[in-house]
Amino acid sequence: MLSAIDKKLMRDVVRLKGQVLTIALVVAAGIASYVTMRSTWSSLETSRSSYYARYRFADVFATLKRAPDSIAHRIADIPGVAVVYPRIVRDVMLPIEGMPEPATGRLISIPAGRDIPLNGLYLRSGRMPEPRQDDEVLVIESFAKAHNLHPGDRIPAVINGKWRDLLIVGIALSPEYVFPASLGDFAPDDRRLAIMWMDRDVLGPAFQMEGAFNDISLHLQPGVSGQEVLGAVDRILEPYGGLGAVTSEKQVSNFILNGELSQLEQFATVFPFIFLSVAAFLLNVVLSRLINLQRQQIAVLKALGYSNRQIGLHYLQLVSIIVVLGALCGIAVGAWLGSGMTNMYGQWFRFPAQDYRLDFSVAAVSVMVSLVAGFAGALLAVRNVVRLPPAEAMRPPAPASYRVSLLDRLGLGRVLGQAAMMIVRELRRRPLRTIFSSLGIAAAVGILVVGRFGYDSFESLINTILHEEQRADVTVAFFEPIPASAAREIVHLPGVLDSEGGRAIPVRFRSGHRYRDSTIIALADQPELRRVVNRDARQVEIPADGLAISRKLGEILGVGVGDSIDIEIREGNRGTRRFAVATLVDDAFGLQGYMRMTSLHRVMGQESAVSMVYLRVDPAWLDEIHRRLKEMPEVAGVTRMDSIVKRMRDQMGQSMLMMTIILTLFGSTIAIGVVYNNARVALSMRSRDLASLRVLGFTRREISAVLLGELAVQILAALPIGLLLGTYWAHAVMESVDPEVYRMPIVISTQTYAFAVAVTVVSGIVSALLVRRKLDHLDLIAVLKTRE
Amino acid sequence: MSAILEARAITKIYRMGEVDVHALRGVDASLYESEFMVLLGASGSGKSTLLNIMGGLDVPTMGRVFYGDMELTDADEDELTEFRRQSVGFVFQFYNLIPSLTARENVALVTEIADDPLEPAEALDLVGLGERLDHFPAQLSGGEQQRVAIARAVAKRPAVLLCDEPTGALDFKTGILVLEVIARVNRELGTTTAVITHNAPIASIADRVITLADGQVHSEVHNESKAQPEELRW
Ligand SMILES: Nc1ncnc2c1ncn2[C@@H]1O[C@H](COP(=O)(O)OP(=O)(O)O)[C@@H](O)[C@H]1O
Ligand SMILES: [Mg+2]
């Protein structure tokens, strides 16, 4: 049998169902945001680490031009190195039929017939290549899927100038290519990058690399950090064209994966933090008000002999019901969305299996936060009542002491009308309540802004890239830098309207002991097709003879404008140059240096050479141009801006859109919950006053005007605060994620602001209508007869 | 006869902004075992204030209140709770029923925590509401609500029953009914009872009448013979 006080609890829950549900929804939204993002992140993180561990992802990676196998033994002798795995890795052109843009094949040697010591392969289907079987390859799943290739199919490849038909014997995945991309290629194209594995005894002779390697991976002894061995590896490989060893953190796929995961982790921390704290704040405020409405019942319970503890417990149960209801919804929705998000990320993070797991601790933390917030609000309110002697608590709160204000003296009453005066007086009488209500609504508005601005930033980023930075239709990259004169052939292709050369040089930026391996991008003096722009779309002028670097790179190296950095050139004659940083570029992608091509060549003492050509072309000629480019042996790759943008939209855009939709949903839920509860509590608190006014002859319309006027004032005050709060949060979110891979601009569109305002105002109007209906049905006698 | 509840030199001052309201100015009052006492006085004379203080629902500004050996004015929160739970039943002028609970449940609220209570149905029978056990307060008339409140107050078998204007909001006939119930509880259960009223004729049903005026005891009268409630006219 339920005790009487428990029955009261149940009936209160039923009676307050509108409020119970909306408060529970606010809690659910807060918890769901946490569970969704946190569980997505932790699932991906877990997938990654178990994948890496099981398939022995290497600790250090190095590439070089060519070294005899004996050099690998020298590297194995470096203290701390446990396993070395020298390989041959070569990029080749894949002239695939029906594909105007050529695809790149990356052939990687494996010891067929034996175990692969590091960077193991997960065989999705088919079999491993047989030892010494010509032309047998494994192909990475992403490429196979994009071209609908299966074991038994063949791919054409130009290997060392010879056309070969490679036989696909299996489809594989590798921890080294979770994110199959090359650095700087911010929207990789599955169709155009084929990672393939081939028996070393076949690959070696094909490239005249018998007994030699050009790529080496190391596994270190436990407790040894990659940084400790890099120097030794570099020293050994330097004479063999070493491009600088990197730890697994800088390995391209892992680097991108890390960037995405750490961004996700940051989002998963910052967004839910904002959402949960807003939900907690509202829970606190709303519950304390709800309980305040029961002030007299609390006093009666106390007078009847209920202890403070029993009364407190009674209201904690009410809070628990609301929070648990919200938490269950939140966890269920969060788990559902989380597994959806995890699957979505799975489309471009290639793990052998996509496991979604919901940590118990994730759910528990969010429920605890909500419970604590709710309990705090409830206990505070209960304490305020039980602290008083029951006789005092049972009396209605002392009649308000209205003071004659300046407004009255100015005779504003006559101007504004009686209802307006009452609104003003009420707001003045309870400034704290007004402030808390407005703050609550403002927080909801802010959440709407911060939930939606991600997409604005993304769109703005795309626009900046498309219209300000990468204005070429097509970018042609060469295997090696070629003399500017040699590129003329391309410039004069039919349909090319405009062209510009560019040069990318692999370098190591160094300042003291800090360094980063990256590239210097050298551009035309007065660039038109490939320009340097800040995230906010402003063009950056590269000074003659000056070096500009990414702002983020400056931060990493600890240098600012005017400071000097060393640049170790990792191409051609190599050598080190010292440059003063002339400008910092707040660019969106990667870490790099920028120079003018003329000054770069002067400094390097080289003839003018280009490694890229940017083209603006007549669309009608695009396919023809592609066809001609494919036939040129020096061309390593051709990228079309429109397909890059399309892929960015498909990838980043999709995750951003999904995130935005989810956050907007939660934000709207919170906003509606807050506005509605605020209105309902105001109605309950003031129904007596309003009923008295009705008895005094005020019309329904007039008393509605009083109450709804108060709500309107609170919402109006909340809007600007909320928009500011949202803007501030947006900055906080973006500043917390500052990855090296890409940095979004902080852009909040007018639509986002308008959306936040609209959702709030609409929920205000709907709540007002509901309250208005209740007011119209206000039972005057019932309300008034309850007390003296 | 021994005093079961005793108030000594009670002063109560309410601070209302700048002004002090002296609700009680040094009142001595006692309640004796099994008696029926009426506290009479004009509106604003301090009756409710005194009864609340004696019932442990309010604290005096000065003065002491004793319940037997226990000093209420010196009791801690737990002792006060225990006193309210076991020893004193309160009937409020405005009933103060819990609106979300039925008549029976409002009574059960008390019987579930008291040591030796009546059954809720039994208590409601006592006030003549045996038929309306499952009605909610909103479904009951004022007099019925007041009788539920009395049932709730007596169900714990309190040593003391304190009633603040139990007829104040009721019509004449209903008022009589309610007073009959209170008199019966006093008579049949031997519960020491104090009833507040500003209605002088009601004083005739008491053993003893204390009259308050302007926060002070104006007079104290022992009735030679008690009238029955049904004989009352006003
Ligand atoms: N909470 C309070 N605050 C201020 N003054 C009060 C309060 N309660 C009662 N009073 C004042 O104390 C005096 C006595 O009140 P009360 O004991 O309720 O009188 P009665 O019950 O005899 O009508 C009155 O003047 C009343 O206005
Ligand atoms: Mg009174």
Side-chain angles (χ1 to χ4, degrees):
Chain A
M1 255 300 279
L2 279 183
S3 66
I5 190 148
D6 289 337
K7 282 186 192 149
K8 167 177 169 343
L9 180 67
M10 294 307 154
R11 299 217 180 102
D12 282 348
V13 169
V14 173
R15 186 173 53 87
L16 296 170
K17 54 187 176 299
Q19 279 171 275
V20 167
L21 284 179
T22 46
I23 299 170
L25 276 179
V26 169
V27 175
I31 289 180
S33 75
Y34 185 72
V35 170
T36 304
M37 304 185 77
R38 203 75 205 170
S39 65
T40 300
W41 171 75
S42 78
S43 297
L44 293 171
E45 183 64 52
T46 310
S47 296
R48 170 174 75 165
S49 51
S50 66
Y51 189 25
Y52 280 5
R54 180 150 347 144
Y55 290 88
R56 300 175 305 282
F57 185 56
D59 298 316
V60 172
F61 296 79
T63 53
L64 53 148
K65 264 204 129 66
R66 180 201 168 103
D69 283 346
S70 58
I71 297 301
H73 300 305
R74 279 179 56 199
I75 291 177
D77 290 340
I78 296 172
V81 173
V83 182
V84 297
Y85 176 38
R87 299 185 296 188
I88 301 163
V89 176
R90 287 298 277 261
D91 284 356
V92 298
M93 223 258 287
L94 304 179
I96 292 179
E97 215 178 311
M99 243 182 100
E101 305 162 81
T104 303
R106 175 163 304 160
L107 289 168
I108 301 173
S109 68
I110 47 168
R114 279 174 293 140
D115 282 345
I116 301 174
L118 295 176
N119 305 322
L121 296 178
Y122 172 87
L123 194 64
R124 178 74 82 194
S125 62
R127 59 165 176 84
M128 299 297 279
E130 293 290 333
R132 271 177 264 284
Q133 276 301 311
D134 267 3
D135 299 341
E136 284 192 0
V137 291
L138 295 175
V139 176
I140 195 161
E141 187 181 47
S142 53
F143 184 83
K145 267 194 179 150
H147 291 276
N148 196 24
L149 293 171
H150 302 282
D153 292 342
R154 289 184 177 271
I155 324 178
V158 180
I159 295 179
N160 218 2
K162 275 186 272 170
W163 181 292
R164 309 261 286 256
D165 261 329
L166 302 178
L167 174 67
I168 299 172
V169 295
I171 309 293
L173 291 165
S174 157
E176 217 181 345
Y177 294 96
V178 169
F179 203 88
S182 26
L183 201 56
D185 187 1
F186 38 80
D189 187 348
D190 287 343
R191 298 169 58 245
R192 299 185 51 209
L193 183 59
I195 312 293
M196 294 184 284
W197 293 269
M198 209 175 193
D199 183 17
R200 185 175 167 143
D201 292 338
V202 177
L203 197 54
F207 290 103
Q208 286 93 45
M209 290 283 284
E210 295 108 321
F213 65 94
N214 66 354
D215 177 288
I216 189 163
S217 307
L218 318 183
H219 188 58
L220 303 178
Q221 280 156 5
V224 179
S225 91
Q227 292 299 333
E228 296 169 39
V229 302
L230 289 187
V233 173
D234 280 353
R235 264 189 307 281
I236 293 172
L237 294 179
E238 176 74 35
Y240 303 97
L243 285 177
V246 294
T247 60
S248 55
E249 278 154 43
K250 293 285 145 46
Q251 193 268 344
V252 177
S253 157
N254 188 44
F255 180 70
I256 296 171
L257 189 56
N258 253 338
E260 291 285 330
L261 284 180
S262 68
Q263 175 172 11
L264 188 62
E265 184 186 10
Q266 280 303 326
F267 279 170
T269 309
V270 182
F271 277 115
F273 176 77
I274 295 175
F275 277 50
L276 257 185
S277 30
V278 170
F281 169 70
L282 298 169
L283 195 61
N284 186 300
V285 171
V286 171
L287 283 174
S288 68
R289 285 182 186 178
L290 208 59
I291 286 166
N292 241 319
L293 290 174
Q294 298 216 343
R295 180 190 165 93
Q296 281 181 320
Q297 296 190 27
I298 293 173
V300 169
L301 288 176
K302 201 172 168 188
L304 293 180
Y306 280 81
S307 66
N308 293 350
R309 203 168 334 107
Q310 284 172 307
I311 297 173
L313 206 64
H314 172 64
Y315 287 98
L316 291 191
Q317 285 171 336
L318 175 65
V319 174
S320 305
I321 288 177
I322 297 176
V323 170
V324 167
L325 193 69
L328 290 180
C329 287
I331 291 171
V333 169
W336 179 63
L337 290 174
S339 74
M341 288 254 287
T342 306
N343 280 331
M344 185 187 69
Y345 276 103
Q347 289 171 26
W348 53 92
F349 295 166
R350 271 54 176 235
F351 296 126
Q354 201 63 249
D355 288 331
Y356 176 72
R357 7 178 283 130
L358 174 61
D359 269 342
F360 173 72
S361 64
V362 167
V365 163
S366 55
V367 176
M368 285 312 291
V369 169
S370 316
L371 272 181
V372 166
F375 283 1
L379 287 180
L380 202 73
V382 170
R383 202 186 64 119
N384 279 340
V385 181
V386 296
R387 219 183 31 193
L388 302 174
E392 197 169 330
M394 222 174 300
R395 265 187 300 267
S401 45
Y402 291 99
R403 270 174 302 150
V404 174
S405 70
L406 189 63
L407 289 172
D408 299 82
R409 276 188 232 123
L410 289 174
L412 268 179
R414 256 164 293 141
V415 183
L416 294 176
Q418 208 51 46
M421 281 318 294
M422 272 190 269
I423 294 167
V424 171
R425 289 212 195 96
E426 178 62 19
L427 296 177
R428 277 169 42 93
R429 186 161 74 87
R430 301 184 192 274
L432 220 57
R433 202 177 92 198
T434 309
I435 288 169
F436 272 117
S437 300
S438 282
L439 277 184
I441 299 170
V445 176
I447 274 186
L448 288 169
V449 172
V450 79
R452 203 174 179 276
F453 89 101
Y455 203 70
D456 296 342
S457 294
F458 175 74
E459 280 300 314
S460 141
L461 181 65
I462 295 254
N463 271 324
T464 304
I465 291 172
L466 211 49
H467 299 301
E468 302 301 329
E469 189 184 89
Q470 313 269 353
R471 309 205 298 180
D473 300 317
V474 171
T475 303
V476 183
F478 305 116
F479 283 110
E480 305 269 335
I482 59 171
S485 52
R488 210 141 293 156
E489 193 190 346
I490 292 175
V491 172
H492 289 133
L493 286 174
V496 171
L497 304 175
D498 204 353
S499 71
E500 222 169 79
R503 173 97 190 256
I505 300 179
V507 298
R508 171 169 289 182
F509 294 98
R510 180 190 287 281
S511 166
H513 62 280
R514 307 188 203 188
Y515 66 89
R516 271 289 181 285
D517 292 331
S518 178
T519 39
I520 289 181
I521 298 172
L523 300 167
D525 291 356
Q526 298 297 325
E528 273 305 317
L529 300 183
R530 169 59 165 100
R531 311 196 302 184
V532 181
V533 294
N534 283 329
R535 278 192 280 172
D536 61 8
R538 263 183 310 137
Q539 193 188 346
V540 179
E541 174 98 24
I542 307 299
D545 294 327
L547 169 74
I549 60 171
S550 303
R551 184 186 54 78
K552 182 73 186 169
L553 179 59
E555 276 171 26
I556 290 169
L557 299 176
V559 297
V561 171
D563 296 338
S564 292
I565 52 176
D566 290 323
I567 293 178
E568 298 168 16
I569 294 159
R570 304 182 158 261
E571 182 188 274
N573 294 334
R574 307 170 78 99
T576 303
R577 306 280 191 287
R578 198 165 172 79
F579 280 94
V581 175
T583 313
L584 293 176
V585 183
D586 187 18
D587 51 3
F589 284 94
L591 306 174
Q592 56 260 318
Y594 301 95
M595 286 181 82
R596 292 189 183 193
M597 259 204 294
T598 45
S599 40
L600 179 80
H601 292 136
R602 201 159 42 243
V603 170
M604 305 235 312
Q606 279 188 352
E607 289 292 302
S608 184
V610 296
S611 56
M612 291 160 315
V613 174
Y614 304 103
L615 302 176
R616 209 155 57 72
V617 301
D618 180 342
W621 285 86
L622 204 54
D623 284 349
E624 173 65 11
I625 291 171
H626 268 303
R627 207 181 50 71
R628 301 277 289 269
L629 285 173
K630 216 158 68 162
E631 287 164 1
M632 298 181 182
E634 65 274 24
V635 170
V638 180
T639 37
R640 286 173 56 165
M641 206 51 221
D642 54 356
S643 54
I644 287 188
V645 167
K646 186 180 169 304
R647 284 197 309 278
M648 279 180 71
R649 279 196 200 285
D650 286 352
Q651 296 173 14
M652 285 161 70
Q654 200 189 333
S655 65
M656 209 34 113
L657 183 65
M658 177 113 165
M659 198 107 94
T660 301
I661 290 174
I662 292 173
L663 292 179
T664 304
L665 216 69
F666 294 159
S668 309
T669 306
I670 292 178
I672 293 167
V674 174
V675 174
Y676 174 73
N677 273 288
N678 192 47
R680 280 302 305 271
V681 171
L683 172 67
S684 313
M685 285 202 201
R686 303 218 55 212
S687 52
R688 245 180 80 77
D689 294 359
L690 297 173
S692 315
L693 290 178
R694 283 274 283 128
V695 173
L696 292 179
F698 281 77
T699 63
R700 286 193 175 135
R701 177 184 293 277
E702 282 162 343
I703 62 163
S704 300
V706 172
L707 187 66
L708 301 185
E710 278 172 40
L711 295 178
V713 169
Q714 287 170 357
I715 290 180
L716 286 182
L719 288 176
I721 303 171
L723 296 181
L724 279 178
L725 200 58
T727 310
Y728 169 78
W729 280 337
H731 280 263
V733 167
M734 275 309 177
E735 265 144 36
S736 76
V737 290
D738 198 10
E740 296 181 18
V741 184
Y742 65 86
R743 300 167 288 277
M744 299 269 254
I746 303 170
V747 176
I748 304 175
S749 67
T750 323
Q751 284 99 306
T752 292
Y753 285 129
F755 173 78
V757 170
V759 168
T760 312
V761 169
V762 168
S763 24
I765 290 172
V766 171
S767 306
L769 289 177
L770 289 173
V771 165
R772 171 77 210 253
R773 228 185 48 194
K774 295 234 177 229
L775 269 182
D776 286 351
H777 296 126
L778 192 59
D779 182 346
L780 298 182
I781 312 306
V783 171
L784 292 175
K785 90 171 178 193
T786 50
R787 278 190 245 118
E788 50 236 284
Chain B
M1 256 211 279
S2 60
I4 184 165
L5 204 53
E6 185 180 356
R8 288 192 206 147
I10 301 295
T11 296
K12 176 75 180 180
I13 302 169
Y14 292 109
R15 275 211 88 92
M16 294 270 293
E18 322 285 81
V19 271
D20 284 351
V21 178
H22 289 255
L24 296 173
R25 314 158 184 262
V27 171
D28 291 312
S30 296
L31 252 181
Y32 299 102
E33 191 80 55
S34 296
E35 72 165 338
F36 193 131
M37 190 265 262
V38 160
L39 196 54
L40 196 62
S43 183
S45 55
K47 306 181 297 291
S48 296
T49 305
L50 179 61
L51 206 71
N52 286 339
I53 288 172
M54 292 179 76
L57 300 187
D58 208 348
V59 286
T61 312
M62 277 183 293
R64 307 168 77 181
V65 179
F66 294 90
Y67 171 68
D69 297 336
M70 177 171 71
E71 179 174 354
L72 293 182
T73 37
D74 193 35
D76 64 20
E77 193 59 40
D78 287 344
E79 291 169 326
L80 275 177
T81 298
E82 197 56 21
F83 169 68
R84 292 180 197 127
R85 180 179 298 195
Q86 310 293 357
S87 310
V88 64
F90 227 100
V91 177
F92 307 100
Q93 181 174 2
F94 301 103
Y95 331 134
N96 278 321
L97 300 177
I98 301 291
S100 51
L101 295 180
T102 62
R104 188 212 300 267
E105 290 158 356
N106 261 286
V107 179
L109 210 48
V110 168
T111 58
E112 279 165 6
I113 58 172
D115 280 345
D116 178 29
L118 301 174
E119 280 297 305
E122 205 182 333
L124 285 162
D125 255 344
L126 198 65
V127 298
L129 279 180
E131 314 289 277
R132 327 213 65 169
L133 294 175
D134 296 320
H135 286 60
F136 285 95
Q139 299 166 325
L140 298 172
S141 73
E144 287 166 334
Q145 287 188 55
Q146 191 61 293
R147 282 188 281 159
V148 174
I150 294 169
R152 187 175 67 179
V154 301
K156 70 179 75 156
R157 299 189 211 263
V160 182
L161 176 63
L162 304 177
C163 310
D164 190 351
E165 308 242 13
T167 60
L170 305 177
D171 62 80
F172 169 75
K173 262 178 69 185
T174 320
I176 296 296
L177 217 67
V178 165
L179 288 175
E180 271 175 355
V181 169
I182 293 171
R184 201 163 90 228
V185 167
N186 173 249
R187 199 170 56 238
E188 291 176 6
L189 303 179
T191 310
T192 308
T193 305
V195 170
I196 287 181
T197 182
H198 61 269
N199 203 350
I202 292 178
S204 61
I205 64 169
D207 298 311
R208 196 161 58 93
V209 182
I210 295 179
T211 308
L212 282 187
D214 202 16
Q216 287 174 314
V217 176
H218 178 263
S219 67
E220 190 181 330
V221 177
H222 285 265
N223 284 337
E224 293 306 312
S225 65
K226 280 203 279 194
Q228 289 307 304
E230 59 265 32
E231 301 166 35
L232 289 179
R233 292 290 175 272
W234 69 78

